Amino acid sequence: MRALRSSAVAAIAAVAALTAVSGCAQKSDTKGSDAVQVKASDDKCEVSKTSFPAGHVKIAVENKGSKVTEVYVYAADDRIITERENIGPGTKAEITATIKSGSYEIACKPGMKGDGIRQKITVTGGGEKKSDPQLDKAVAEYRKYVQQQADETIPAAQKFVDAVKKGDLDEAKKTYAPSRTGWERTEPVAESFGDIDPKTDTREDGLEKGQKWTGWHRLEKSLWDDKKITDDDKALADQLMTDLTAWQKRVGSAEITPTSMANGAKELLDEVYRNKITGEEERYSHTDLVDFEANVDGAEKAYDLLKPVASKNDPALVQELDKQFESVKKALGDYRDGDGFKSYDSVGNDDRKKLSDAVNALSEPLSKLAAAVAK
C-alpha cells in the first residue's frame, strides 16, 4: 500500500541506518545531458527539463531535503506512469521509464504523503524506438498474468467477504490473507489507476484528510484488534468486493511497458522493505510474510519475462539477479509453518534484519533492470 504512517517512515529510517545501504534508494551518478534531473527538497521539486522527446527517459533524482521523498510521473488523467519511492535525505535514485508523447506532471512527495509538489512537463513525439518482438511478448505475457491474478482474487475475496457477512470471525481470519495474494503480486499495476488502492488497501494512519477508512485493513482491525464483526463491517465487506470487481474489470486497460514491468518489480521489493519488514502492513493480523512472498513472486514474474532481453544486454546483471532472488526465497522459507508462514510478531529483530539484508541485496541490482531492457 502506497500511503505510509509516520511511524513507518521512522521505521524505514531506523532499518536504513542499520543496513548502511538501502536497496530502496540507490546512489546514482547520472550526470549526462540526456537525463532529466530532479532536485527534490522539503518544499520544492526542481526539474531540469520541462520538455523532452518520447521514448526511454532517464530521470535522475536527488533528495536535498530532510524528509524521505517519492517521485512520480503522472499522466493527464492522474494515472501513474512511473515512480520511485523511499528516496532518503541526501541520497540519489535513477528511474528509467518508457513515456509516450503527451502532457504529464512530475511530482515530488516529501514525507511520502499527499499529492506532492508538481511540475508540468511535455513529452514530444519522435523519440519512440521500434518495438522489440521479445519485449512485446514479455508485455503481452505479463498482461495475461496481471489479469489472471485479478481474476483469481475475486473468488478468494468473496470467501473472505462471505465469512465477514456471516459474522464468522474464525473463517474471516482464515480467508483474509489468501484474499490479498493476487493484489500483492501485482500491486504496482493496481496502484497505477490511482483511485482503487486508497479504497482497498489503506492503513488508518495513511488516510488523507477527510478520507473514510475502507478496505482490507479496516476489516483486519475489526477481526484481530476489536475481535468482533459489526453491521458496519459487513457493509465494508460489500464495498471491498465492489472495489475489487472494478479493479478486475479495469486491469486489462492498464498501460504496461517493459520498463514499467521492471520498475514495478522494484516497487514490489520496496513494498517488502517499507511495509513488510517493519511489520506495518499487517499490524493486527501479523500475516506480513504472506504478503512478502506475494510481492517477491510478482517481482520475479516480471523479471523472468524480461530476462531473455536483459540476458543479452547485461548478462552480469542477470546472473546477480538470479542469485539474489534465490537468496530472498531461501531466507523467507526459513519462516514457513506448514502451508503458510509464522505469525510475524514471532519474528525477532535479528531475524527481521536478516530478511532486510536479503531484500536489500536483491533490490540494488533490480533497480538496474529497467535500464538493461531499455538499451
Side-chain angles (χ1 to χ4, degrees):
M1 167 57 212
R2 185 173 309 288
L4 275 181
R5 285 183 284 209
S6 58
S7 59
V9 176
I12 290 168
V15 173
L18 286 171
T19 55
V21 177
S22 167
C24 298
Q26 300 301 321
K27 289 189 175 181
S28 170
D29 294 322
T30 299
K31 297 179 181 178
S33 60
D34 61 329
V36 179
Q37 307 287 333
V38 176
K39 292 185 178 180
S41 65
D42 294 346
D43 56 6
K44 292 182 181 179
C45 188
E46 299 177 283
V47 180
S48 64
K49 302 177 185 180
T50 57
S51 180
F52 44 85
H56 297 320
V57 177
K58 291 183 180 180
I59 302 173
V61 182
E62 181 178 5
N63 183 3
K64 300 178 74 68
S66 64
K67 302 175 182 178
V68 178
T69 196
E70 302 172 325
V71 172
Y72 293 77
V73 177
Y74 287 104
D77 59 2
D78 233 28
R79 283 180 300 108
I80 298 170
I81 302 302
T82 191
E83 65 182 287
R84 179 58 55 85
E85 302 177 345
N86 192 30
I87 306 170
T91 65
K92 300 178 181 181
E94 182 179 311
I95 311 168
T96 300
T98 304
I99 306 180
K100 298 179 180 179
S101 59
S103 297
Y104 300 87
E105 289 183 323
I106 289 181
C108 304
K109 296 188 179 183
M112 302 198 289
K113 299 190 75 171
D115 293 331
I117 304 164
R118 300 195 178 199
Q119 298 289 344
K120 294 183 182 298
I121 59 172
T122 301
V123 180
T124 58
E128 295 93 339
K129 293 183 179 180
K130 184 178 179 181
S131 64
D132 181 326
Q134 282 187 298
L135 291 178
D136 290 344
K137 180 181 178 182
V139 169
E141 289 298 315
Y142 187 67
R143 190 177 294 280
K144 282 172 29 179
Y145 171 75
V146 169
Q147 186 66 62
Q148 179 187 32
Q149 294 304 308
D151 291 345
E152 291 178 357
T153 294
I154 297 304
Q158 191 65 62
K159 289 182 180 179
F160 171 63
V161 167
D162 288 346
V164 172
K165 292 179 69 176
K166 290 176 183 176
D168 190 334
L169 194 67
D170 289 340
E171 182 66 13
K173 287 182 175 182
K174 179 181 176 182
T175 54
Y176 169 77
S179 76
R180 292 175 48 74
T181 300
W183 176 276
E184 290 290 330
R185 285 173 176 159
T186 60
E187 191 167 4
V189 176
E191 289 180 341
S192 70
F193 295 111
D195 61 332
I196 295 179
D197 180 82
K199 293 188 288 186
T200 57
D201 201 27
T202 298
R203 297 185 306 278
E204 185 174 16
D205 292 347
L207 295 171
E208 300 292 341
K209 186 176 181 180
Q211 180 184 350
K212 181 183 178 182
W213 191 18
T214 60
W216 270 302
H217 294 301
R218 175 63 188 88
L219 293 167
E220 179 202 5
K221 183 178 187 298
S222 292
L223 298 177
W224 275 273
D225 195 45
D226 300 337
K227 297 181 175 60
K228 62 181 180 181
I229 296 172
T230 67
D231 288 342
D232 285 345
D233 292 328
K234 295 175 182 179
L236 286 172
D238 275 334
Q239 183 61 50
L240 175 64
M241 204 68 232
T242 297
D243 293 334
L244 290 175
T245 301
W247 161 59
Q248 178 203 23
K249 291 178 179 178
R250 292 171 62 185
V251 73
S253 66
E255 185 169 338
I256 298 173
T257 66
T259 55
S260 76
M261 289 169 58
N263 288 328
K266 175 66 167 63
E267 290 162 31
L268 286 168
L269 263 291
D270 288 352
E271 277 282 318
V272 173
Y273 176 84
R274 189 175 64 244
N275 296 331
K276 281 68 176 182
I277 296 295
T278 61
E280 289 292 319
E281 182 79 358
E282 307 290 358
R283 64 177 300 186
Y284 304 110
S285 65
H286 305 298
T287 56
D288 302 86
L289 292 175
V290 178
D291 292 355
F292 186 139
E293 181 179 52
N295 287 159
V296 173
D297 285 348
E300 187 172 33
K301 179 65 176 182
Y303 164 61
D304 283 343
L305 291 172
L306 295 170
K307 188 173 176 178
V309 172
S311 294
K312 291 189 297 183
N313 293 342
D314 196 338
L317 176 65
V318 166
Q319 184 177 12
E320 182 66 14
L321 285 169
D322 285 345
K323 173 185 172 183
Q324 297 303 337
F325 264 112
E326 286 305 311
S327 178
V328 166
K329 290 188 290 184
K330 182 178 183 300
L332 182 60
D334 290 340
Y335 305 97
R336 290 196 181 277
D337 183 12
D339 293 334
F341 289 94
K342 296 178 181 179
S343 179
Y344 198 59
D345 58 347
S346 70
V347 178
N349 289 336
D350 288 346
D351 286 334
R352 293 187 186 199
K353 176 64 164 55
K354 291 177 183 177
L355 287 169
S356 177
D357 289 346
V359 169
N360 279 328
L362 171 58
S363 186
E364 191 279 326
L366 195 58
S367 70
K368 301 175 183 177
L369 181 60
V373 300
K375 287 182 179 179

